[in-house]
């Protein structure tokens, strides 16, 4: 009897304690679709999980209840592969997901791992043909001698089934690891970007892509910079931007030449010599670049800051926001524990008035560009109950620590928020904290 | 003129640079075992850090030297070509520039050979010399040692010899060309 209760205790504590997350469950990307109705997540195990917002309930009793997101579809997008020529394993981790604009009843998304991009079609099936002439309901072929009359199958309703099928596979175009994909506003093409090249694809054609940027030097020993991210302009289908590990962004116009090696705009802020350290290059490397929805601004994320650039001003950013400047003095330890290589993403809200990015200890930060106010929030089950209002958090830098503050040394660097996304129209955000997905909404008055 | 305080600061920077170099090399080595293969971006950043650390290490080593100017060729022979860890720690100015070290190596060998100090030659140099018949494995048997890329072999030799300054004789960008 003693052992039984012990086993039960152990089982219960395993269920409650989620610190032992399997690596395959770690979320590696999150993305709302263009209407905000669907939310897709990709994980390290190569799976994609799509959530759908339930229809809003008009009921007077449930007036507080906004549409919640429930699982809509789950599928295995990528499998681990082996490159025999180079003796390399190709990870199945989903690096990026981008939705295509909706054109019919089905949903389409692009998902990519390090080497291959796939176009997935997610469609609903709620009817099934029944009454075949030549086969039974369970599929067995009927004995022809028993068939005496002709019958035509009729569509009967069935339980809703959501199926995902791979419609296109775009492979063998990248020597290095793909870091981003971006769908063009023309809805016909998209770009995939690796460390040294940007390739342009037509969504219909899988056996050919066009290389539009190539920064590979003639001699690899002269390599000084790599491409870290690229994105199409939201309205101009001929314009795209790519960021580099040196902290610069280049805007290119595809009408100028087939190979966009010459940029038309070059955004870089000169380095402040007083902050130079061993790690200056690492912390200036841009991990994410995003155009604003209105197409007038660019946002970049490097290790310690988020910067907003005006496309008309190349020599310095319009705004710079400190995400976690208290880490500047800890760069050496962050180098040793590899955290300095973490690639944080950044997002705009629908109206481009607020920007958001993640940090450590499951903290994420929002900056209001108009009021210049910022807030730090935490995505954690222990510190917030469902439907409770998030309490702003504060990191204490030095001196006396107040009651609710957390000191820099107590921050948990294994809990990092790298991936976040914002609903295109409403104030709903999705935040990935390791293997957990948090969805936050504006409070309802 | 460098004061004693300056020397201390230089030593701190020196130690810091050496530590960062050591950490970086171990990261580089570990990244070979990573799933998904070597990451170009990460390798590039590591090599940039190593280069900064190496430059700072050299400039702080040079600053802490009381005299400047080229030392006589015979003198540094005995110190720079030494790879015994104890000796490098005690010498505050162990490094001559990489090109010098490379060209002086054959002369060092000659000197050492003349002084009969064969057993204290560095492993890097030993590998160039023909081994005695008794110690070498027969040619027809495959070597059990893991095969490394040329750049990495030199790194491995440096790690074993515990002599981070000899990194100066390598181009750090060999790391990238391992692709």
């Amino acid at each position: 009897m003693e052992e039984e209760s012990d086993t039960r205790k152990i089982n219960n504590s395993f269920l409650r304690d989620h610190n032992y997350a399997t690596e395959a469950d770690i979320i590696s990307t999150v993305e709302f679709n263009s209407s905000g109705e669907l939310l897709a997540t990709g994980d390290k195990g190569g799976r994609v999980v799509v959530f759908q917002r339930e229809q809003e309930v008009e009921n007077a009793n449930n007036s507080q209840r906004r549409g919640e997101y429930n699982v809509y579809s789950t599928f295995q997008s990528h499998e681990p592969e082996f490159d025999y020529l180079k003796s390399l394993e190709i990870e199945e981790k989903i690096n990026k997901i981008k939705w295509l604009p909706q054109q019919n009843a089905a949903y389409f998304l692009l998902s990519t791992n390090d080497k291959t991009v796939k176009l997935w079609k997610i469609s609903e099936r709620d009817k099934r043909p029944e009454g075949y002439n030549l086969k039974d309901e369970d599929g067995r072929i009927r004995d022809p001698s028993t068939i005496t009359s002709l019958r035509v199958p009729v569509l009967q309703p069935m339980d809703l089934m959501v199926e995902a099928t791979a419609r296109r596979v775009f492979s063998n175009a990248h020597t290095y690891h793909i870091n981003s994909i971006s769908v063009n506003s023309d809805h016909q093409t998209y770009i995939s970007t690796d460390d040294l090249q940007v390739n342009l694809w037509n969504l219909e054609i899988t056996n050919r892509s066009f290389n539009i940027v190539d920064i590979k030097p003639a001699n690899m020993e002269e390599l000084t910079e790599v491409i870290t991210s690229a994105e199409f302009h939201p309205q101009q289908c001929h314009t795209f931007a790519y960021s580099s590990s040196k902290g610069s962004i280049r805007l290119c116009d595809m009408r100028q030449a087939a190979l966009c090696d010459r940029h038309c705009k070059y955004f870089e802020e000169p380095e402040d010599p007083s902050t130079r350290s061993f790690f200056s290059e690492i912390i200036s490397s841009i991990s994410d670049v995003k155009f604003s929805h209105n197409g007038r601004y660019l946002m970049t994320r490097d290790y310690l800051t988020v910067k907003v650039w005006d496309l008309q001003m190349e020599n310095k950013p319009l705004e710079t926001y400190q995400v976690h400047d208290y880490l500047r003095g800890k760069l050496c330890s962050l180098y040793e524990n590899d955290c300095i290589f973490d690639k944080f993403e950044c997002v705009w809200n629908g109206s481009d008035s607020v920007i958001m990015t993640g940090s450590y200890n499951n903290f994420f930060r929002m900056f209001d560009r108009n009021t210049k106010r910022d807030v730090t929030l935490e995505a954690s089950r222990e510190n917030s109950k469902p439907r409770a209002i998030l309490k702003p958090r504060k990191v204490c830098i030095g001196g006396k620590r107040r009651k609710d503050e957390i000191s820099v040394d107590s921050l948990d660097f294994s809990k990092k928020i790298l991936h976040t996304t914002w609903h295109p129209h409403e104030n709903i955000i999705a935040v990935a904290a390791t293997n957990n997905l948090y969805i936050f909404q504006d409070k309802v008055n | 003129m460098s004061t004693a305080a300056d020397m201390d600061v230089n030593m701190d920077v020196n130690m810091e640079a050496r530590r960062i170099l050591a950490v970086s090399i171990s990261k580089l080595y570990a990244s070979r075992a990573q799933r998904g293969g070597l990451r170009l971006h990460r390798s590039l950043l590591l090599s940039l850090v190593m280069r900064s650390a190496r430059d700072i290490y050299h400039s702080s080593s040079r600053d802490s030297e009381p005299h400047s100017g080229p030392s006589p060729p015979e003198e540094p022979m005995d110190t720079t070509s030494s790879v015994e860890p104890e000796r490098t720690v005690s010498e505050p100015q162990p490094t001559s520039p990489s090109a010098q070290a490379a060209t002086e190596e054959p002369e060092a060998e000659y000197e050492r050979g003349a002084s009969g100090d064969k057993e204290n030659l560095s492993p890097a140099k030993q590998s160039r010399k023909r081994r005695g018949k008794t110690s070498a494995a027969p040619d027809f048997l495959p070597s059990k040692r893991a095969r490394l890329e040329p750049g990495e072999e030199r790194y491995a030799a440096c790690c074993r010899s515990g002599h981070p300054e000899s990194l100066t004789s390598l181009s750090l960008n060999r790391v990238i060309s391992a692709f």
Side-chain angles (χ1 to χ4, degrees):
Chain A
M1 293 306 122
E2 279 275 276
E3 289 132 56
E4 262 181 72
S5 60
D6 280 352
T7 326
R8 266 203 302 276
K9 265 191 238 155
I10 293 169
N11 283 340
N12 281 343
S13 66
F14 261 0
L15 286 170
R16 259 203 305 277
D17 176 9
H18 292 263
N19 290 336
Y20 70 101
T22 34
E23 205 176 309
D25 293 331
I26 295 175
I27 299 172
S28 49
T29 186
V30 278
E31 189 82 6
F32 276 108
N33 75 338
S34 49
S35 64
E37 182 204 351
L38 297 179
L39 173 66
T41 63
D43 64 24
K44 265 194 152 187
R47 286 165 305 199
V48 171
V49 180
V50 180
F51 298 85
Q52 185 187 43
R53 195 175 188 190
E54 60 188 23
Q55 298 298 328
E56 298 213 0
V57 186
E58 293 288 333
N59 196 329
N61 291 345
N62 291 356
S63 60
Q64 296 262 341
R65 187 182 169 85
R66 294 264 207 88
E68 292 193 342
Y69 286 84
N70 302 312
V71 177
Y72 178 63
S73 171
T74 304
F75 55 94
Q76 186 76 32
S77 170
H78 286 72
E79 299 272 3
E81 286 172 49
F82 198 78
D83 180 343
Y84 294 98
L85 202 60
K86 294 184 189 164
S87 280
L88 282 181
E89 203 180 346
I90 300 171
E91 276 191 284
E92 66 277 28
K93 171 169 80 95
I94 308 295
N95 291 336
K96 283 277 154 40
I97 290 175
K98 285 281 147 77
W99 290 94
L100 264 54
Q102 198 172 2
Q103 287 169 332
N104 53 34
Y107 304 104
F108 288 87
L109 61 78
L110 286 173
S111 71
T112 184
N113 69 349
D114 284 337
K115 297 285 180 186
T116 305
V117 185
K118 292 189 186 179
L119 175 68
W120 287 90
K121 174 181 175 182
I122 301 166
S123 49
E124 293 180 7
R125 191 193 288 268
D126 61 357
K127 293 187 199 36
R128 164 180 77 203
E130 281 179 25
Y132 281 98
N133 203 45
L134 296 175
K135 56 182 182 181
D136 281 341
E137 292 313 316
D138 47 9
R140 276 181 305 191
I141 307 289
R142 288 169 72 192
D143 181 1
S145 58
T146 63
I147 301 172
T148 52
S149 62
L150 178 71
R151 63 176 184 175
V152 177
V154 175
L155 288 175
Q156 300 288 356
M158 61 178 257
D159 290 337
L160 178 67
M161 194 169 77
V162 181
E163 39 185 29
T165 43
R167 302 296 290 167
R168 304 272 189 278
V169 177
F170 305 91
S171 55
N172 297 324
H174 288 280
T175 316
Y176 303 96
H177 298 104
I178 297 176
N179 51 53
S180 50
I181 47 176
S182 176
V183 183
N184 202 349
S185 50
D186 66 6
H187 304 163
Q188 292 182 353
T189 56
Y190 76 94
I191 48 175
S192 59
T193 308
D194 68 25
D195 293 312
L196 297 178
Q197 295 177 328
V198 180
N199 291 333
L200 179 72
W201 303 83
N202 183 302
L203 284 163
E204 299 295 328
I205 299 168
T206 59
N207 60 2
R208 189 166 47 197
S209 70
F210 294 93
N211 176 241
I212 55 174
V213 175
D214 189 343
I215 63 167
K216 185 172 176 175
N219 184 357
M220 278 298 271
E221 294 188 7
E222 294 160 19
L223 181 75
T224 53
E225 120 184 88
V226 297
I227 302 173
T228 52
S229 187
E231 201 188 36
F232 265 119
H233 190 279
Q235 284 93 35
Q236 297 168 15
C237 58
H238 46 78
T239 304
F240 66 95
Y242 67 91
S243 58
S244 86
S245 57
K246 273 192 172 172
S248 64
I249 309 99
R250 288 169 178 83
L251 199 70
C252 298
D253 188 329
M254 296 198 294
R255 299 170 299 186
Q256 271 185 333
L259 190 62
C260 304
D261 272 353
R262 288 176 58 226
H263 51 264
C264 43
K265 290 201 197 225
Y266 180 78
F267 300 86
E268 192 180 36
E269 184 176 27
E271 192 197 339
D272 179 3
S274 67
T275 59
R276 178 120 190 93
S277 76
F278 287 115
F279 311 105
S280 296
E281 281 106 352
I282 302 190
I283 63 169
S284 63
S285 173
I286 293 177
S287 50
D288 195 18
V289 66
K290 291 263 169 48
F291 278 98
S292 61
H293 290 96
N294 59 22
R296 289 169 50 197
Y297 306 104
L298 261 180
M299 170 165 55
T300 58
R301 174 72 155 101
D302 52 57
Y303 191 64
L304 297 177
T305 70
V306 193
K307 295 180 178 166
V308 174
W309 302 77
D310 186 325
L311 288 188
Q312 307 303 322
M313 186 165 69
E314 297 170 56
N315 61 339
K316 64 179 163 82
L318 198 59
E319 299 147 23
T320 301
Y321 300 93
Q322 302 294 334
V323 181
H324 37 217
D325 202 55
Y326 45 79
L327 297 182
R328 200 179 282 273
K330 293 189 155 289
L331 294 179
C332 199
S333 349
L334 293 166
Y335 179 70
E336 287 177 34
N337 67 12
D338 268 0
C339 285
I340 207 174
F341 297 103
D342 287 335
K343 298 191 172 135
F344 291 94
E345 292 169 12
C346 53
V347 278
W348 297 88
N349 73 339
S351 58
D352 300 331
S353 58
V354 182
I355 58 181
M356 174 169 74
T357 188
S359 178
Y360 293 103
N361 209 73
N362 280 350
F363 286 171
F364 56 100
R365 304 262 281 137
M366 285 192 201
F367 302 92
D368 189 318
R369 296 177 59 219
N370 299 326
T371 65
K372 299 301 178 200
R373 279 167 43 197
D374 63 85
V375 69
T376 304
L377 299 169
E378 183 177 1
S380 125
R381 232 188 292 246
E382 290 93 39
N383 293 341
S384 56
K385 301 275 177 290
R387 304 224 164 66
I389 302 206
L390 284 180
K391 203 173 53 173
R393 312 285 281 136
K394 196 151 159 54
V395 177
C396 156
I397 291 122
K400 235 164 125 49
R401 183 178 80 87
R402 290 203 194 91
K403 195 167 84 80
D404 277 340
E405 287 181 3
I406 180 163
S407 73
V408 182
D409 297 312
S410 324
L411 292 174
D412 188 343
F413 289 96
S414 67
K415 294 188 180 161
K416 50 194 89 168
I417 292 184
L418 304 173
H419 313 288
T420 59
T421 184
W422 203 307
H423 190 288
H425 315 301
E426 299 184 37
N427 279 344
I428 305 175
I429 57 174
V431 169
T434 318
N435 61 327
N436 293 314
L437 180 71
Y438 291 83
I439 300 179
F440 300 110
Q441 304 186 94
D442 244 2
K443 78 177 154 100
V444 185
N445 295 334
Chain B
M1 294 299 151
S2 57
T3 65
D6 286 345
M7 295 271 287
D8 282 344
V9 168
N10 271 333
M11 280 307 292
D12 285 341
V13 172
N14 209 315
M15 293 293 291
E16 177 82 354
R18 279 187 66 160
R19 198 163 72 86
I20 290 176
L21 268 173
V23 168
S24 306
I25 292 170
S26 66
K27 280 190 194 300
L28 208 52
Y29 224 57
S31 64
R32 291 180 63 232
Q34 239 177 4
R35 262 190 97 207
L38 276 170
R39 304 250 151 203
L40 188 64
H41 187 196
R42 186 186 160 93
S43 308
L44 178 68
L45 294 177
L46 282 176
S47 70
L48 291 173
V49 170
M50 286 199 278
R51 192 180 300 165
S52 307
R54 179 194 72 181
D55 293 344
I56 306 249
Y57 180 74
H58 274 168
S59 59
S60 68
S61 302
R62 234 175 277 125
D63 287 346
S64 59
E65 236 179 86
H67 61 276
S68 57
S71 326
E74 277 76 39
E75 234 256 68
M77 237 11 83
D78 295 323
T79 55
T80 53
S81 43
S82 156
V83 292
E84 286 135 28
E86 317 85 79
R87 205 178 284 193
T88 43
V89 164
S90 59
E91 304 288 345
Q93 20 82 338
T95 58
S96 40
S98 58
Q100 228 184 331
T103 53
E104 284 159 353
E105 264 176 14
E107 291 169 42
E109 271 183 51
Y110 180 72
E111 275 217 344
R112 294 258 172 185
S115 65
D117 195 5
K118 286 197 171 69
E119 56 265 27
N120 285 334
L121 286 168
S122 75
K125 294 193 198 88
Q126 263 182 341
S127 60
R128 292 188 207 181
K129 294 169 73 87
R130 224 176 267 271
R131 288 174 201 257
K133 290 213 164 84
T134 47
S135 56
D139 290 297
F140 53 84
L141 279 182
S143 160
K144 277 198 180 170
R145 211 160 67 96
R147 278 170 53 112
L148 301 172
E149 300 288 320
E152 292 163 342
E153 269 203 16
R154 275 171 256 179
Y155 275 124
C158 286
C159 293
R160 277 197 294 274
S161 67
H163 196 169
E165 294 91 47
S166 58
L167 275 178
T168 59
S169 64
L170 306 174
S171 164
L172 286 176
N173 282 326
R174 292 254 178 237
V175 166
I176 311 294
S177 65
F179 267 90

